[in-house]
Amino acid sequence: MISDIVTIMWKEFRELLIQKPNFRGGWVGLLIFIAVFGILLPFQSGRAWVESPIGIVYWAWVPFMMVSTVIADSFAGERERHTLETLLASCLSDKAILYGKICAAITYGWGITLISLLLGLVTINLAYAQGGLLMYPLDIGLSILGASFLLAALAANLGVLISLQASTIRSAQQTLGVIALLPMILILLIPMLPSSLNMRMVTWIMTQNTSSLVYPIMALILVLDLILLAAAMGRFQRARLILD
Amino acid sequence: MNAIAIRTLNLSRTFGQVQAVDDLSLEVPTGSVFGFLGPNGAGKTTTIRLLLGLLEPTAGQAEVLGFDTYSQADQIRLQSGALLEHNGLYERLSAEDNLEFYGRVWHIPPTERQARKKAILSKMGLWERRKDLVGQWSRGMKQKLAVARALFHQPTLLFLDEPTAGLDPVAAAALREDLTALVEQEGITVFLTTHNLSEAEKLCHQVGVIRQGKLLTVGAPAELRSRTGANRCEVYGRGFNPEVIERLHSRPEVTQAKLVNQHLVIDLNGHTEIAGLVNWLVNAGVQVEEIRKSTASLEEVFLTLVEE
C-alpha cells in the first residue's frame, strides 16, 4: 500500500508543480511566498523571529493556509475534470487513494513551511548573529514543528472531507475558506468579552510556559485530526463517489 | 482460464424508482468482443459500473473473470482495463505522464513501463506528441490515448463505454482499426457499449440489445439480423409499375414492397420461399433480371427491437 500512496502523491505533485500552463505562475508564487516567510519577515522581525513564542502561531497558520489552497481540489477537482471514475476503476485501494491525497497535501504544505523555516533561520543568522549561532529555543522549536505538522494534517483531513462531498472545486474552496475563517472570528470576538475576563485570560496565558500551553492544544488538534481522518475514511465509498 | 469472462444472473440495480438494470442475465465468452447496444439511459453504463464492482447490485449477481463483483471487485479491477463514459485523462499532465501514472498504479516495473509506453504510443501514432499536455490535444487523440491507457497494463478484460462517441468519422474509423488490431494481437475479452451499429457489426462477435434496463436479445450480429430482421428480397429488372406494387401489398407473404433506386425491395413474412413470388411477378408482367435475398441491417434490427 505504501507504494500506491507514493504513486498517488507522485501524480498529485506532478499536477501541482510540473503542470506546464501554470509552471511559471505556480513556481514564482511559491518562491515569493518562501521569500516573504523565509527572508523578508525574519529580516524585519530580528532576533524575535526565533526567540518569541508568537512564532508558533505564524508557523501553525502557514501550513494550514498552504494545504487549504491545494486540498479542495483533491476529489472535487477529479470529479469536475471527470477523472475520478477512471481512478476508482483502477486497482488502487480506497485507503491508498485517500491517504495518497492527504499525504501529498501535507507534504506540500509542511514542506514549504520547513523550507521557509530553515531559510528564516539562515536569514536571521546572517543578519543578526553576532559571532554565535541563533537557534529556536528547544520548546519553541519543537512546538513549531509539531503544531505546523498537526495544522497541516488538520487542513488536509478537513479539506479532503469537504472535497469528497463537494460537487465543484469552487464550492469546496468556499466551504474550506469559511471554516478557516472561524478561528479568526473567535480571536476578533475576544476584545468584546468583559474586561475582567480578558484580563484574567491574558494573565493566565502570560504565566504559562510555552510547552504547558502549546502541548495540550497540540493534543487536541491531534484528536481532531484523527476524528476527521476517520470521517473521511467513512465517507470514501466508491459507489457513493460515483453516484455523487 | 475461465471459458466465460462475464456471467450475470438476474442482475438488477435501481436508483430510487428508476430500474436502471432489470434482471440481466448474460454470458460473455473469454476472448470475444461483446457489444452492448441500447439507446441513451438504457442501462449500459450502469451495467459496466456493476461489472467493475463500482456499484452494488440491488438484486442478482455477477461474476467477472471468475470473481464475484460484490465481494472480489479488487481482483476484477486488477485484471481489467476501462475506458468509461469520460476518457479520464489528466489534461494537465503529458500523455507520457498519464501512462506513467497508470503504469505505476498497476505496478509495472520502470524499464517495462518505458518499453510499453514507446510501443503503445507508437502503435497509436502518438509517440511524437508524448510530451504535450493532453489538454492541448484533439478529442480523437485523447480517445486514442485513453484506449492506450486502458490497455497499458495488458488487462485480460477491457471495458469500453462508447469509445468512438463524439469522434468524427475518420477518427472513429481509425480508432476502430486500432482497436481491432490490438484486440487481435492481445487476444483479450472486450465488453463494449456503443450507439454506433456499424461499429458493433464490424467489431463484435456477439451483441446484446438493452432497453430500459432489460436485455431484449443476444446473439452474433448476423444471427440477430436473420432472427429478428425481416426476410427481404431485392428484385432488379423492368416493369415495376404502381399497379404491380399495389397488388404485391395484398399478397399474404408480403409485409412491404417499395421501389428503391429503380429496383423493388420486398419485405416478407418469416422465412417465406421466394420462388412462388418470382413466378407471380413474371406473370404480372415484370421482367426479372436479378434477385437478391438479403436481411435487414443491424440498425433496422436494433430499431425494431427498441421500438417494440
Side-chain angles (χ1 to χ4, degrees):
Chain A
M1 183 160 89
I2 300 290
S3 73
D4 288 342
I5 292 172
V6 172
T7 295
I8 289 285
M9 289 174 70
W10 177 88
K11 194 272 289 179
E12 293 292 309
F13 278 111
R14 209 82 186 156
E15 278 202 291
L16 202 60
L17 299 175
I18 316 294
Q19 46 176 291
K20 286 172 191 165
N22 296 322
F23 184 79
R24 279 181 64 194
W27 278 103
V28 169
L30 214 53
L31 290 176
I32 289 172
F33 184 91
I34 292 170
V36 168
F37 278 84
I39 301 170
L40 186 67
L41 290 178
F43 191 74
Q44 283 180 342
S45 306
R47 297 173 73 99
W49 187 253
V50 291
E51 288 167 357
S52 166
I54 201 76
I56 300 167
V57 180
Y58 269 130
W59 295 117
W61 174 79
V62 168
F64 189 92
M65 200 194 72
M66 294 308 292
V67 171
S68 299
T69 58
V70 295
I71 196 68
D73 190 89
S74 58
F75 286 99
E78 296 257 9
R79 188 180 287 126
E80 202 171 294
R81 293 188 289 272
H82 304 296
T83 52
L84 185 60
E85 191 171 359
T86 302
L87 184 65
L88 297 176
S90 75
C91 61
L92 289 171
S93 68
D94 295 2
K95 280 183 182 168
I97 297 172
L98 186 68
Y99 293 168
K101 298 262 184 192
I102 291 173
C103 288
I106 292 174
T107 308
Y108 175 77
W110 201 46
I112 290 166
T113 305
L114 293 185
I115 290 168
S116 307
L117 196 70
L118 286 174
L119 190 60
L121 210 53
V122 171
T123 304
I124 288 293
N125 276 285
L126 286 176
Y128 298 102
Q130 290 155 342
L133 186 67
L134 285 172
M135 278 296 288
Y136 287 99
L138 188 64
D139 58 343
I140 293 178
L142 287 177
S143 299
I144 286 174
L145 288 178
S148 59
F149 177 79
L150 288 171
L151 262 294
L154 184 74
N157 291 327
L158 181 67
V160 95
L161 188 61
I162 290 167
S163 190
L164 276 167
Q165 311 203 49
S167 55
T168 61
I169 304 167
R170 178 167 284 201
S171 79
Q173 282 170 337
Q174 283 170 345
T175 312
L176 197 56
V178 168
I179 292 172
L181 274 179
L182 286 178
M184 299 286 185
I185 293 168
L186 288 176
I187 290 168
L188 289 175
L189 287 176
I190 290 173
M192 295 176 192
L193 293 171
S195 54
S196 59
L197 185 63
N198 251 338
M199 203 62 185
R200 261 188 292 166
M201 268 174 58
V202 171
T203 313
W204 183 79
I205 290 170
M206 296 302 282
T207 54
Q208 303 299 308
N209 65 35
T210 308
S211 48
S212 67
L213 191 67
V214 174
Y215 291 170
I217 295 173
M218 279 167 57
L220 185 70
I221 296 169
L222 178 65
V223 172
L224 262 177
D225 277 344
L226 295 174
I227 291 170
L228 287 169
L229 182 63
M233 282 169 69
R235 180 65 179 73
F236 191 103
Q237 291 164 13
R238 277 179 148 91
R240 201 165 160 191
L241 286 173
I242 281 175
L243 295 176
D244 280 349
Chain B
M1 188 189 278
N2 292 308
I4 301 297
I6 298 172
R7 178 183 282 124
T8 70
L9 188 65
N10 308 117
L11 190 69
S12 300
R13 172 72 203 204
T14 54
F15 297 111
Q17 300 295 311
V18 179
Q19 186 80 42
V21 176
D22 189 2
D23 210 25
L24 178 70
S25 296
L26 64 82
E27 286 187 349
V28 177
T30 299
S32 68
V33 180
F34 185 88
F36 211 36
L37 315 179
N40 288 334
K44 304 186 295 290
T45 300
T46 305
T47 304
I48 287 188
R49 287 171 171 175
L50 286 166
L51 294 176
L52 276 167
L54 296 174
L55 290 178
E56 291 167 16
T58 40
Q61 62 190 67
E63 218 176 67
V64 175
L65 302 171
F67 300 106
D68 181 66
T69 56
Y70 180 65
S71 58
Q72 295 168 300
D74 292 350
Q75 287 301 316
I76 295 168
R77 289 194 286 265
L78 187 65
Q79 296 182 42
S80 304
L83 165 54
L84 302 171
E85 202 174 0
H86 300 285
N87 61 41
L89 296 169
Y90 292 99
E91 301 211 341
R92 299 186 295 183
L93 296 183
S94 66
E96 199 173 24
D97 279 349
N98 268 278
L99 292 187
E100 175 69 21
F101 172 57
Y102 278 100
R104 287 172 183 232
V105 165
W106 263 277
H107 305 132
I108 303 168
T111 46
E112 207 179 326
R113 273 203 304 267
Q114 282 305 114
R116 280 198 210 175
K117 263 190 269 182
K118 183 159 192 191
I120 204 158
L121 288 177
S122 301
K123 202 181 285 180
M124 294 284 193
L126 302 171
W127 177 248
E128 299 301 319
R129 305 281 304 271
R130 68 190 182 280
K131 302 245 182 249
D132 293 358
L133 289 187
V134 172
Q136 297 168 347
W137 279 12
S138 70
R139 196 185 157 91
M141 289 169 75
K142 285 179 193 171
Q143 204 71 353
K144 276 188 173 190
L145 179 62
V147 172
R149 183 209 55 217
L151 286 162
F152 192 57
H153 58 287
Q154 298 177 334
T156 47
L157 172 63
L158 184 63
F159 290 97
L160 299 172
D161 196 354
E162 299 182 15
T164 56
L167 295 185
D168 64 66
V170 178
L175 184 59
R176 262 197 303 275
E177 272 175 33
D178 289 336
L179 259 180
T180 311
L182 284 166
V183 166
E184 277 169 11
Q185 282 162 23
E186 311 288 337
I188 58 177
T189 310
V190 179
F191 188 92
L192 168 104
T193 75
T194 182
H195 281 126
N196 188 327
L197 297 157
S198 67
E199 178 173 290
E201 200 146 17
K202 282 175 194 158
L203 283 175
C204 303
H205 301 118
Q206 273 204 310
V207 292
V209 180
I210 185 173
R211 188 194 59 184
Q212 291 175 347
K214 270 203 174 298
L215 187 66
L216 302 176
T217 189
V218 182
E223 190 190 334
L224 284 194
R225 284 199 312 267
S226 62
R227 193 201 308 165
T228 322
N231 189 16
R232 170 177 290 178
C233 74
E234 294 171 20
V235 184
Y236 295 80
R238 277 171 286 176
F240 306 126
N241 57 55
E243 189 198 337
V244 170
I245 295 171
E246 184 70 34
R247 282 169 62 197
L248 261 177
H249 276 117
S250 61
R251 290 188 62 83
E253 71 268 44
V254 174
T255 56
Q256 197 184 24
K258 59 185 174 189
L259 263 181
V260 178
N261 296 333
Q262 307 296 314
H263 69 274
L264 188 60
V265 178
I266 307 169
D267 285 342
L268 302 164
N269 278 327
H271 294 278
T272 311
E273 289 295 325
I274 59 170
L277 193 67
V278 175
N279 268 338
W280 183 90
L281 284 169
V282 171
N283 290 335
V286 173
Q287 291 175 301
V288 178
E289 288 172 1
E290 187 183 343
I291 292 178
R292 287 185 199 162
K293 263 187 99 169
S294 65
T295 52
S297 68
L298 191 58
E299 187 168 348
E300 286 167 308
V301 174
F302 175 76
L303 289 173
T304 308
L305 284 166
V306 169
E307 280 162 13
E308 271 172 9

